[in-house]
Amino acid sequence: MIVEQKMPALSPTMTEGTIISWRIKPGDQVKSGQVMAEIQTDKAVGEWECLDGGTVADILIPAGTMTKVNAIAAVFTTKPGEDAKAAIEKAKKSNAALMANGGAAAAAPTATATPAPSTPAAAPPASAPTPSQGSGTNPGSHPGKGARVSPVASRMAAANSLDLSRIRGSGPDGRIIRRDIEKALADGSARIGSGGAAKESKPKLNPFRADAQPVTEVPLSTMRAAIGRRLLEAKTQIPHFYVTERIDCANLVALRDQLGTIEGVKVTYNDLVVRAAALALRMHPKVNATWHGASIRLHDSADISIAVAIPDGLITPILFKAHTLTVRQISEAVRELAKKAQAGKLKPAEFEGGTFTISNLGMFGIESFSAIINPPQAAILAVGGIKDEPIVRDGAVVAGKTMRLTLSADHRAVDGAIGAAFMKSVRELLEAPAALLI
Amino acid sequence: MMPAAATLPPRAASRSLNAKVEPINGFKTVPVGDGYQLASTRMALCQALYEEMKRDERVFVMGEEVAEYNGAYKVTKGLLEEFGAKRVIDTPITESGFAGLAVGAAMTGLRPVIEFMSWNFSFPAFDQIISNASKMCYMTGGMFPIPLVMRGPNGAGPRVSSQHSHAVEALYAHFPGLIVISPSNPYDAKGLLKSALRQSNPVCFLENEMLYNFEQEIPTAEYLVEIGKGHIARAGKDCTIVAISRCVHWAMEAATELAGLGIECEIVDPRTIKPLDIELIATSVRKTSRLVVVEECYQTGGVGAEIAAQIQERCFDDLDAPVGRVTTTENPMPYAANLEHETLPKPHRIVAAVKKACYL
Amino acid sequence: MPTTTDTIGAATGSTAGTRAGDDVLYRVDAKKVRAEIGKDRLIAMFKKMLLIRHFEERADQNYKAKKIAGFLHLYIGQEAVATAFYDHLSPGRDYTVTSYRCHAQALLSGLDPKELMAELFGKVTGNVRGKGGSMHFFSKEKGMLGGHGIVGGQIPVGTGAAFTAKYLGTGGVSVTFLGDGASPQGTFHESLNMAGLWRLPAIYLIENNLYGMGTACSRAVAVKNIAAAKAPGYNLASFTYDGLDLYASWKVAQEAIALARRNEPVLIEAKTYRYRGHSVSDPALYRSKEELAQYQALDPIERIKADLIAEKWLSADEAERINEETLERIQAAVAFSDESPEPPLSELSRHVFAEEPNR
């Protein structure tokens, strides 16, 4: 019998992925349960275990190649001497048809970009999806080679100053069709600048300009594309509002210093913020919510996603039931998750399904920032660094240490007063941090 | 001259009237009040002939079985009785002969109407229609226009197989000099046949056997329908369907089903294939961005091929999807019921084509 | 008559039918017929035959000078047939229609050689504005219905003209000229059947010039005497006669037209001969020089000229002067054609459809 090993979807949102390395080769006997390959998904690297074992007849998708889910990556035989030639040919054709059928197909090298700071809880906020208009895209015109646009979609995009490179085609071969443009117009996405006139939407680029600087064009990795898509969706579709609190950190600094003296304990401010947020979420369940269009789900458990910067992107592993964890447990768990994230070893179950996100740029000395909500979650907390700052205490200006926290909330799920009450609780917990220890 | 344009539009036959309608009643239709009469396509055609023969002595009707038999499909019923054998003439089975005779009569001052018992039988007369009727005005430098109406049922009949199921719209529209008309309902059939009889070019007037019994309430007052003007049979915003003759009815069925899926089709009935009301079609396509053409001709060189070509010339930047064509499949018509069904451009094939055009 | 029978047959002209044997040739007493025609009409026919001859000879010359192109089918040798028939017709009331060999019928209808020659030259001053050429001469006013390029295609058209004459009760007749090569076509039989059935004032005149293009009639038609054999099958009267003999032609025309005016349709076969090939591109290698010489010795124009001189209705000088005047008229037509402008490009799309308004 012939067994086709089809590229699995290792995350719910994965439509394509890259086989980073094969652990099997033609001729091998592979048993059920054996790891066949490592696969980079849009989120992480996962192991691909064999279900139906056999003898490897051929490997059709070489390592390092991006391919679509359900592509036949390998062909096995189950009987000795079985001829797999026809099956292999058939599989190649089927793969070609599959690739031809869905656009963003061509093989791309796996992402190897400059490593980002790997400190846990350090994640760039809204860094992703601002299109670089000067880098060679021709706004309002057809996107890059291979993308297709129906004539009317092309005309409508030009007339409405839409950047076709930011619109995902839903037609055959990823063809951008009228309904994609209508959707983009309805949700306001893909607009170039702020309603620039159609006339001006096609600047002529001269590739031979004397002052042209060298440009490196980096093809999108699976993860980069996913980040772009999701954050664009979040920033354009979610009505964000922002609540900022200044925290007087005198007690918090003292607490952390004390904890630092305990052998084997290495607590960060972020760990304390996570603990405070977890407790506050239990106090304000409407913030611990996810938005589902027709309904809002209020969660009992504070499953907090921690934004972690990793090479070529960021990922948000989850601290499940954070409200049940001690500061020490939080500290250890966060460190472990960050390590796995760096190594690309997070399993989908470890980063799918949080209820709230914390993003911290404090280690860069950032005072404050606003983060983009991680849908379907209803809120995200952006954490700035601790700074020396004069504060007024008991009517007198004194030297103080402060930190600014900004909550971005989805107004569809969370009203301003609720957001404010949540932030007040967080502030109180951090300014009188003894409560964090019980 | 031209009667004032009819102020009354056609309306659906009202079954509640319980009017006692002879299914075949010649030109004597049934008045239903409000300035309307109940007419089948067959009766509407007969009435057009009757009115024009009354109006103009030079009009005569000639063909196989048109007089004493009242027409193979009874379209000429009662005309012999009314106008006599001089003007309603049974011919031998001699299509080339009587088609050519009609050309000669048209050249010498008469206004013949010839009936092909079926357009399948126009093929023996092809040389007369093409070499003589279609070219005469041009090759005589305008000296001899040919006021000739050639009419008869076109397209597939019920289970009549290969040699009796041709649709000839594209075939005759190919040749300059011929007007090709293909109405889908009694109102248009009458108004267009009357217009055809009042102009001076050879007309291929393509009726459809399966529509002869289709009834509408049409005005009792005289009216004309302008040659070369199509009309919107159903308004919609999502996909334009251009459908010809019987296919209009199939397209309507398909549109109903598609409406259930949220797709609102706009159905354009061009009524005249040549000259074609391409501007009406283009206007609709500019609105919907999608076009499916439905016809009983074959796909190769069909009317749909022509419309698709003209639409990409005029509306390239308005199209969201390739123009779809639903035609008779490229095989001679088989006899077996299931094969016949699949050969014709039936609603299920139209639905599929529209869904494809809408990327569904 | 080398290829037709020497047997003198009885004239037919009755609807009772004619046997298709060899004894079918209609014979006339030349002296009697000449007297019946009279001096003026005979001289007029002589002039018309000369006009046709000179027109076609000059057309041939200009074809060879590349002023004329396409097809050019010459009637030279056959002039006595059409000339005699037109002598009995009233262009305008009566209708004529013919094949692509149509120059004679157009000239005999009374059309000006200038507009006909200009048509051959492809000029806008031509008979049909340069849109038809040699095969398509027409006149609405004279009831000349063409000028048709498809063998046999004109026969139902002529039938339709007869239908109109009867329908409108004008008393007119239609004469449809066709070649022996058209007689096997379906339109011939369909038309004869309708004419016989409906008793149309129609005359079908087969000019048997012995060849349908290059195929001898004997190799294409199953019977020797086409009219005699076919007419009874369609209940038509028939005549068969020597088409090189103007007197026979004139007499047959007289009788046939009289029958047709009484709604008795007639089928006629004129045994004639064309001197030239089927068209100018045909060197006529399918026949011998001896055969051609034999017929040229019977040239209808030369014979009538000789008769006119013998009857002293014309002197040789007068005959020569007529000849020269006719030639001059044709030369003037050539000059006119040469000087005429080509059709403007606006003519390209004009007349595809009728310009006359709806009625």
Side-chain angles (χ1 to χ4, degrees), chain A residues 150-153 155 170-172 175-179 182, chain B residues 237 287-290 316-322 358-360:
Chain A
S150 84
V152 74
R155 183 169 61 75
S170 67
R175 182 190 296 152
I176 297 171
I177 59 178
R178 195 172 100 165
R179 69 162 172 244
E182 285 167 347
Chain B
K237 62 177 173 35
K287 182 169 76 174
T288 64
S289 303
R290 293 158 199 124
F316 180 75
D317 287 320
D318 299 290
L319 287 172
D320 196 39
C358 294
Y359 299 103
L360 287 174

PDB file of all heavy atoms in Angstrom, chain A residues 150-153 155 170-172 175-179 182, chain B residues 237 287-290 316-322 358-360:
ATOM      1  N   SER A 150      -8.253  41.221 -10.720  1.00  0.00           N
ATOM      2  CA  SER A 150      -9.227  41.335 -11.794  1.00  0.00           C
ATOM      3  C   SER A 150      -9.236  42.785 -12.258  1.00  0.00           C
ATOM      4  O   SER A 150      -8.906  43.694 -11.501  1.00  0.00           O
ATOM      5  CB  SER A 150     -10.608  40.889 -11.325  1.00  0.00           C
ATOM      6  OG  SER A 150     -11.274  41.943 -10.667  1.00  0.00           O
ATOM      7  N   PRO A 151      -9.592  42.993 -13.542  1.00  0.00           N
ATOM      8  CA  PRO A 151      -9.533  44.370 -14.059  1.00  0.00           C
ATOM      9  C   PRO A 151     -10.323  45.350 -13.213  1.00  0.00           C
ATOM     10  O   PRO A 151      -9.848  46.438 -12.898  1.00  0.00           O
ATOM     11  CB  PRO A 151     -10.125  44.234 -15.456  1.00  0.00           C
ATOM     12  CG  PRO A 151      -9.831  42.823 -15.856  1.00  0.00           C
ATOM     13  CD  PRO A 151      -9.922  42.016 -14.590  1.00  0.00           C
ATOM     14  N   VAL A 152     -11.523  44.980 -12.793  1.00  0.00           N
ATOM     15  CA  VAL A 152     -12.324  45.940 -12.043  1.00  0.00           C
ATOM     16  C   VAL A 152     -11.724  46.169 -10.661  1.00  0.00           C
ATOM     17  O   VAL A 152     -11.760  47.278 -10.134  1.00  0.00           O
ATOM     18  CB  VAL A 152     -13.797  45.507 -11.958  1.00  0.00           C
ATOM     19  CG1 VAL A 152     -14.017  44.353 -10.994  1.00  0.00           C
ATOM     20  CG2 VAL A 152     -14.684  46.686 -11.571  1.00  0.00           C
ATOM     21  N   ALA A 153     -11.125  45.132 -10.079  1.00  0.00           N
ATOM     22  CA  ALA A 153     -10.500  45.306  -8.768  1.00  0.00           C
ATOM     23  C   ALA A 153      -9.335  46.283  -8.889  1.00  0.00           C
ATOM     24  O   ALA A 153      -9.134  47.157  -8.050  1.00  0.00           O
ATOM     25  CB  ALA A 153     -10.031  43.953  -8.230  1.00  0.00           C
ATOM     26  N   ARG A 155      -8.988  48.640 -11.105  1.00  0.00           N
ATOM     27  CA  ARG A 155      -9.487  49.997 -11.322  1.00  0.00           C
ATOM     28  C   ARG A 155     -10.026  50.595 -10.019  1.00  0.00           C
ATOM     29  O   ARG A 155      -9.762  51.750  -9.684  1.00  0.00           O
ATOM     30  CB  ARG A 155     -10.591  49.971 -12.374  1.00  0.00           C
ATOM     31  CG  ARG A 155     -11.130  51.338 -12.732  1.00  0.00           C
ATOM     32  CD  ARG A 155     -12.014  51.286 -13.965  1.00  0.00           C
ATOM     33  NE  ARG A 155     -13.189  50.446 -13.840  1.00  0.00           N
ATOM     34  CZ  ARG A 155     -14.272  50.800 -13.131  1.00  0.00           C
ATOM     35  NH1 ARG A 155     -14.322  51.951 -12.492  1.00  0.00           N
ATOM     36  NH2 ARG A 155     -15.301  49.976 -13.071  1.00  0.00           N
ATOM     37  N   SER A 170      -9.033  36.642  -2.775  1.00  0.00           N
ATOM     38  CA  SER A 170      -9.812  35.448  -2.445  1.00  0.00           C
ATOM     39  C   SER A 170     -10.229  34.683  -3.695  1.00  0.00           C
ATOM     40  O   SER A 170     -10.918  33.686  -3.617  1.00  0.00           O
ATOM     41  CB  SER A 170     -11.041  35.834  -1.629  1.00  0.00           C
ATOM     42  OG  SER A 170     -11.933  36.596  -2.429  1.00  0.00           O
ATOM     43  N   GLY A 171      -9.809  35.159  -4.858  1.00  0.00           N
ATOM     44  CA  GLY A 171     -10.165  34.466  -6.095  1.00  0.00           C
ATOM     45  C   GLY A 171      -9.172  33.360  -6.394  1.00  0.00           C
ATOM     46  O   GLY A 171      -8.258  33.099  -5.603  1.00  0.00           O
ATOM     47  N   PRO A 172      -9.372  32.679  -7.541  1.00  0.00           N
ATOM     48  CA  PRO A 172      -8.443  31.613  -7.901  1.00  0.00           C
ATOM     49  C   PRO A 172      -7.016  32.146  -8.034  1.00  0.00           C
ATOM     50  O   PRO A 172      -6.820  33.266  -8.482  1.00  0.00           O
ATOM     51  CB  PRO A 172      -8.980  31.101  -9.242  1.00  0.00           C
ATOM     52  CG  PRO A 172     -10.006  32.073  -9.679  1.00  0.00           C
ATOM     53  CD  PRO A 172     -10.443  32.858  -8.507  1.00  0.00           C
ATOM     54  N   ARG A 175      -6.225  35.577  -6.829  1.00  0.00           N
ATOM     55  CA  ARG A 175      -6.630  36.765  -7.584  1.00  0.00           C
ATOM     56  C   ARG A 175      -7.429  37.708  -6.690  1.00  0.00           C
ATOM     57  O   ARG A 175      -8.342  37.292  -5.991  1.00  0.00           O
ATOM     58  CB  ARG A 175      -7.473  36.353  -8.789  1.00  0.00           C
ATOM     59  CG  ARG A 175      -7.906  37.526  -9.666  1.00  0.00           C
ATOM     60  CD  ARG A 175      -8.931  37.100 -10.707  1.00  0.00           C
ATOM     61  NE  ARG A 175      -8.356  36.132 -11.642  1.00  0.00           N
ATOM     62  CZ  ARG A 175      -9.064  35.212 -12.281  1.00  0.00           C
ATOM     63  NH1 ARG A 175     -10.357  35.134 -12.109  1.00  0.00           N
ATOM     64  NH2 ARG A 175      -8.479  34.365 -13.106  1.00  0.00           N
ATOM     65  N   ILE A 176      -7.013  38.969  -6.703  1.00  0.00           N
ATOM     66  CA  ILE A 176      -7.774  39.972  -5.963  1.00  0.00           C
ATOM     67  C   ILE A 176      -8.976  40.329  -6.823  1.00  0.00           C
ATOM     68  O   ILE A 176      -8.825  40.718  -7.980  1.00  0.00           O
ATOM     69  CB  ILE A 176      -6.913  41.217  -5.678  1.00  0.00           C
ATOM     70  CG1 ILE A 176      -5.737  40.823  -4.780  1.00  0.00           C
ATOM     71  CG2 ILE A 176      -7.752  42.310  -5.020  1.00  0.00           C
ATOM     72  CD1 ILE A 176      -4.710  41.923  -4.616  1.00  0.00           C
ATOM     73  N   ILE A 177     -10.170  40.152  -6.262  1.00  0.00           N
ATOM     74  CA  ILE A 177     -11.378  40.382  -7.027  1.00  0.00           C
ATOM     75  C   ILE A 177     -12.215  41.465  -6.372  1.00  0.00           C
ATOM     76  O   ILE A 177     -11.860  41.986  -5.322  1.00  0.00           O
ATOM     77  CB  ILE A 177     -12.183  39.073  -7.212  1.00  0.00           C
ATOM     78  CG1 ILE A 177     -12.552  38.486  -5.856  1.00  0.00           C
ATOM     79  CG2 ILE A 177     -11.369  38.072  -8.035  1.00  0.00           C
ATOM     80  CD1 ILE A 177     -13.378  37.220  -5.957  1.00  0.00           C
ATOM     81  N   ARG A 178     -13.300  41.800  -7.012  1.00  0.00           N
ATOM     82  CA  ARG A 178     -14.086  42.948  -6.574  1.00  0.00           C
ATOM     83  C   ARG A 178     -14.471  42.866  -5.112  1.00  0.00           C
ATOM     84  O   ARG A 178     -14.413  43.846  -4.387  1.00  0.00           O
ATOM     85  CB  ARG A 178     -15.333  43.075  -7.452  1.00  0.00           C
ATOM     86  CG  ARG A 178     -16.006  44.427  -7.298  1.00  0.00           C
ATOM     87  CD  ARG A 178     -17.116  44.606  -8.294  1.00  0.00           C
ATOM     88  NE  ARG A 178     -18.404  44.344  -7.685  1.00  0.00           N
ATOM     89  CZ  ARG A 178     -19.572  44.690  -8.237  1.00  0.00           C
ATOM     90  NH1 ARG A 178     -19.585  45.270  -9.409  1.00  0.00           N
ATOM     91  NH2 ARG A 178     -20.702  44.422  -7.640  1.00  0.00           N
ATOM     92  N   ARG A 179     -14.879  41.664  -4.664  1.00  0.00           N
ATOM     93  CA  ARG A 179     -15.346  41.591  -3.276  1.00  0.00           C
ATOM     94  C   ARG A 179     -14.214  41.857  -2.281  1.00  0.00           C
ATOM     95  O   ARG A 179     -14.468  42.351  -1.192  1.00  0.00           O
ATOM     96  CB  ARG A 179     -16.023  40.258  -3.000  1.00  0.00           C
ATOM     97  CG  ARG A 179     -15.114  39.054  -2.991  1.00  0.00           C
ATOM     98  CD  ARG A 179     -15.782  37.863  -2.287  1.00  0.00           C
ATOM     99  NE  ARG A 179     -14.948  36.678  -2.483  1.00  0.00           N
ATOM    100  CZ  ARG A 179     -15.315  35.600  -3.160  1.00  0.00           C
ATOM    101  NH1 ARG A 179     -16.520  35.522  -3.670  1.00  0.00           N
ATOM    102  NH2 ARG A 179     -14.490  34.585  -3.309  1.00  0.00           N
ATOM    103  N   GLU A 182     -14.093  45.546  -2.097  1.00  0.00           N
ATOM    104  CA  GLU A 182     -15.254  46.065  -1.371  1.00  0.00           C
ATOM    105  C   GLU A 182     -15.071  45.871   0.128  1.00  0.00           C
ATOM    106  O   GLU A 182     -15.417  46.735   0.935  1.00  0.00           O
ATOM    107  CB  GLU A 182     -16.529  45.374  -1.868  1.00  0.00           C
ATOM    108  CG  GLU A 182     -16.960  45.877  -3.234  1.00  0.00           C
ATOM    109  CD  GLU A 182     -18.026  45.023  -3.912  1.00  0.00           C
ATOM    110  OE1 GLU A 182     -18.275  43.885  -3.452  1.00  0.00           O
ATOM    111  OE2 GLU A 182     -18.599  45.493  -4.909  1.00  0.00           O
TER     112      GLU A 182
ATOM    113  N   LYS B 237     -27.706  43.095  -9.207  1.00  0.00           N
ATOM    114  CA  LYS B 237     -26.467  43.852  -9.065  1.00  0.00           C
ATOM    115  C   LYS B 237     -25.215  43.000  -9.100  1.00  0.00           C
ATOM    116  O   LYS B 237     -24.122  43.522  -9.206  1.00  0.00           O
ATOM    117  CB  LYS B 237     -26.498  44.648  -7.750  1.00  0.00           C
ATOM    118  CG  LYS B 237     -26.603  43.749  -6.524  1.00  0.00           C
ATOM    119  CD  LYS B 237     -26.553  44.568  -5.251  1.00  0.00           C
ATOM    120  CE  LYS B 237     -26.813  43.749  -3.997  1.00  0.00           C
ATOM    121  NZ  LYS B 237     -26.323  42.375  -3.961  1.00  0.00           N
ATOM    122  N   LYS B 287     -22.045  47.729 -14.125  1.00  0.00           N
ATOM    123  CA  LYS B 287     -22.651  47.727 -12.791  1.00  0.00           C
ATOM    124  C   LYS B 287     -22.266  46.458 -12.009  1.00  0.00           C
ATOM    125  O   LYS B 287     -21.914  46.531 -10.844  1.00  0.00           O
ATOM    126  CB  LYS B 287     -24.168  47.816 -12.944  1.00  0.00           C
ATOM    127  CG  LYS B 287     -24.928  47.869 -11.631  1.00  0.00           C
ATOM    128  CD  LYS B 287     -26.397  48.217 -11.835  1.00  0.00           C
ATOM    129  CE  LYS B 287     -27.175  47.028 -12.363  1.00  0.00           C
ATOM    130  NZ  LYS B 287     -28.621  47.262 -12.442  1.00  0.00           N
ATOM    131  N   THR B 288     -22.338  45.317 -12.684  1.00  0.00           N
ATOM    132  CA  THR B 288     -22.178  44.044 -11.964  1.00  0.00           C
ATOM    133  C   THR B 288     -20.757  43.494 -12.002  1.00  0.00           C
ATOM    134  O   THR B 288     -20.398  42.645 -11.189  1.00  0.00           O
ATOM    135  CB  THR B 288     -23.092  42.972 -12.562  1.00  0.00           C
ATOM    136  OG1 THR B 288     -22.682  42.722 -13.911  1.00  0.00           O
ATOM    137  CG2 THR B 288     -24.551  43.409 -12.539  1.00  0.00           C
ATOM    138  N   SER B 289     -19.986  43.909 -12.970  1.00  0.00           N
ATOM    139  CA  SER B 289     -18.606  43.427 -13.175  1.00  0.00           C
ATOM    140  C   SER B 289     -18.523  41.986 -13.642  1.00  0.00           C
ATOM    141  O   SER B 289     -17.433  41.448 -13.776  1.00  0.00           O
ATOM    142  CB  SER B 289     -17.755  43.546 -11.905  1.00  0.00           C
ATOM    143  OG  SER B 289     -17.735  44.842 -11.445  1.00  0.00           O
ATOM    144  N   ARG B 290     -19.667  41.349 -13.826  1.00  0.00           N
ATOM    145  CA  ARG B 290     -19.603  39.923 -14.199  1.00  0.00           C
ATOM    146  C   ARG B 290     -20.611  39.647 -15.291  1.00  0.00           C
ATOM    147  O   ARG B 290     -21.677  40.253 -15.322  1.00  0.00           O
ATOM    148  CB  ARG B 290     -19.928  39.045 -12.992  1.00  0.00           C
ATOM    149  CG  ARG B 290     -18.859  39.160 -11.917  1.00  0.00           C
ATOM    150  CD  ARG B 290     -19.379  38.749 -10.555  1.00  0.00           C
ATOM    151  NE  ARG B 290     -18.491  39.293  -9.542  1.00  0.00           N
ATOM    152  CZ  ARG B 290     -18.874  40.069  -8.541  1.00  0.00           C
ATOM    153  NH1 ARG B 290     -20.144  40.367  -8.386  1.00  0.00           N
ATOM    154  NH2 ARG B 290     -18.001  40.544  -7.696  1.00  0.00           N
ATOM    155  N   PHE B 316     -13.268  46.103 -20.353  1.00  0.00           N
ATOM    156  CA  PHE B 316     -12.160  45.346 -19.779  1.00  0.00           C
ATOM    157  C   PHE B 316     -11.908  45.737 -18.328  1.00  0.00           C
ATOM    158  O   PHE B 316     -11.776  44.901 -17.455  1.00  0.00           O
ATOM    159  CB  PHE B 316     -10.891  45.553 -20.608  1.00  0.00           C
ATOM    160  CG  PHE B 316      -9.711  44.789 -20.076  1.00  0.00           C
ATOM    161  CD1 PHE B 316      -9.640  43.421 -20.266  1.00  0.00           C
ATOM    162  CD2 PHE B 316      -8.703  45.422 -19.363  1.00  0.00           C
ATOM    163  CE1 PHE B 316      -8.569  42.696 -19.765  1.00  0.00           C
ATOM    164  CE2 PHE B 316      -7.636  44.708 -18.858  1.00  0.00           C
ATOM    165  CZ  PHE B 316      -7.568  43.337 -19.065  1.00  0.00           C
ATOM    166  N   ASP B 317     -11.886  47.024 -18.081  1.00  0.00           N
ATOM    167  CA  ASP B 317     -11.556  47.485 -16.734  1.00  0.00           C
ATOM    168  C   ASP B 317     -12.714  47.360 -15.759  1.00  0.00           C
ATOM    169  O   ASP B 317     -12.598  47.748 -14.605  1.00  0.00           O
ATOM    170  CB  ASP B 317     -11.064  48.936 -16.782  1.00  0.00           C
ATOM    171  CG  ASP B 317      -9.667  49.004 -17.374  1.00  0.00           C
ATOM    172  OD1 ASP B 317      -8.862  48.124 -17.052  1.00  0.00           O
ATOM    173  OD2 ASP B 317      -9.403  49.905 -18.172  1.00  0.00           O
ATOM    174  N   ASP B 318     -13.833  46.869 -16.241  1.00  0.00           N
ATOM    175  CA  ASP B 318     -14.976  46.697 -15.346  1.00  0.00           C
ATOM    176  C   ASP B 318     -15.157  45.250 -14.925  1.00  0.00           C
ATOM    177  O   ASP B 318     -15.997  44.955 -14.095  1.00  0.00           O
ATOM    178  CB  ASP B 318     -16.250  47.170 -16.047  1.00  0.00           C
ATOM    179  CG  ASP B 318     -16.166  48.641 -16.407  1.00  0.00           C
ATOM    180  OD1 ASP B 318     -16.206  49.460 -15.496  1.00  0.00           O
ATOM    181  OD2 ASP B 318     -16.028  48.961 -17.598  1.00  0.00           O
ATOM    182  N   LEU B 319     -14.397  44.362 -15.526  1.00  0.00           N
ATOM    183  CA  LEU B 319     -14.642  42.936 -15.292  1.00  0.00           C
ATOM    184  C   LEU B 319     -13.945  42.441 -14.040  1.00  0.00           C
ATOM    185  O   LEU B 319     -12.800  42.784 -13.764  1.00  0.00           O
ATOM    186  CB  LEU B 319     -14.164  42.121 -16.500  1.00  0.00           C
ATOM    187  CG  LEU B 319     -15.041  42.242 -17.751  1.00  0.00           C
ATOM    188  CD1 LEU B 319     -14.358  41.558 -18.922  1.00  0.00           C
ATOM    189  CD2 LEU B 319     -16.417  41.650 -17.504  1.00  0.00           C
ATOM    190  N   ASP B 320     -14.675  41.619 -13.313  1.00  0.00           N
ATOM    191  CA  ASP B 320     -14.110  41.017 -12.108  1.00  0.00           C
ATOM    192  C   ASP B 320     -13.777  39.552 -12.350  1.00  0.00           C
ATOM    193  O   ASP B 320     -13.059  38.939 -11.574  1.00  0.00           O
ATOM    194  CB  ASP B 320     -15.107  41.129 -10.955  1.00  0.00           C
ATOM    195  CG  ASP B 320     -14.446  40.891  -9.606  1.00  0.00           C
ATOM    196  OD1 ASP B 320     -13.306  41.349  -9.430  1.00  0.00           O
ATOM    197  OD2 ASP B 320     -15.067  40.265  -8.732  1.00  0.00           O
ATOM    198  N   ALA B 321     -14.313  39.018 -13.409  1.00  0.00           N
ATOM    199  CA  ALA B 321     -14.109  37.599 -13.695  1.00  0.00           C
ATOM    200  C   ALA B 321     -14.204  37.413 -15.207  1.00  0.00           C
ATOM    201  O   ALA B 321     -14.790  38.243 -15.893  1.00  0.00           O
ATOM    202  CB  ALA B 321     -15.181  36.771 -13.000  1.00  0.00           C
ATOM    203  N   PRO B 322     -13.603  36.349 -15.724  1.00  0.00           N
ATOM    204  CA  PRO B 322     -13.758  36.081 -17.156  1.00  0.00           C
ATOM    205  C   PRO B 322     -15.245  35.933 -17.500  1.00  0.00           C
ATOM    206  O   PRO B 322     -16.034  35.471 -16.675  1.00  0.00           O
ATOM    207  CB  PRO B 322     -13.021  34.760 -17.359  1.00  0.00           C
ATOM    208  CG  PRO B 322     -12.113  34.636 -16.185  1.00  0.00           C
ATOM    209  CD  PRO B 322     -12.787  35.341 -15.054  1.00  0.00           C
ATOM    210  N   CYS B 358     -18.854  34.540  -9.886  1.00  0.00           N
ATOM    211  CA  CYS B 358     -18.889  35.245  -8.589  1.00  0.00           C
ATOM    212  C   CYS B 358     -17.900  34.642  -7.593  1.00  0.00           C
ATOM    213  O   CYS B 358     -17.952  34.947  -6.398  1.00  0.00           O
ATOM    214  CB  CYS B 358     -20.299  35.211  -8.012  1.00  0.00           C
ATOM    215  SG  CYS B 358     -21.485  36.151  -8.981  1.00  0.00           S
ATOM    216  N   TYR B 359     -17.061  33.760  -8.072  1.00  0.00           N
ATOM    217  CA  TYR B 359     -16.047  33.127  -7.222  1.00  0.00           C
ATOM    218  C   TYR B 359     -16.672  32.402  -6.032  1.00  0.00           C
ATOM    219  O   TYR B 359     -16.204  32.522  -4.900  1.00  0.00           O
ATOM    220  CB  TYR B 359     -15.023  34.146  -6.730  1.00  0.00           C
ATOM    221  CG  TYR B 359     -14.267  34.822  -7.849  1.00  0.00           C
ATOM    222  CD1 TYR B 359     -14.578  36.111  -8.249  1.00  0.00           C
ATOM    223  CD2 TYR B 359     -13.245  34.152  -8.531  1.00  0.00           C
ATOM    224  CE1 TYR B 359     -13.896  36.728  -9.292  1.00  0.00           C
ATOM    225  CE2 TYR B 359     -12.556  34.756  -9.563  1.00  0.00           C
ATOM    226  CZ  TYR B 359     -12.884  36.048  -9.932  1.00  0.00           C
ATOM    227  OH  TYR B 359     -12.207  36.642 -10.948  1.00  0.00           O
ATOM    228  N   LEU B 360     -17.736  31.696  -6.299  1.00  0.00           N
ATOM    229  CA  LEU B 360     -18.362  30.935  -5.214  1.00  0.00           C
ATOM    230  C   LEU B 360     -18.219  29.443  -5.491  1.00  0.00           C
ATOM    231  O   LEU B 360     -18.204  29.022  -6.631  1.00  0.00           O
ATOM    232  CB  LEU B 360     -19.845  31.298  -5.109  1.00  0.00           C
ATOM    233  CG  LEU B 360     -20.101  32.683  -4.529  1.00  0.00           C
ATOM    234  CD1 LEU B 360     -21.582  33.002  -4.609  1.00  0.00           C
ATOM    235  CD2 LEU B 360     -19.642  32.761  -3.080  1.00  0.00           C
TER     236      LEU B 360
END
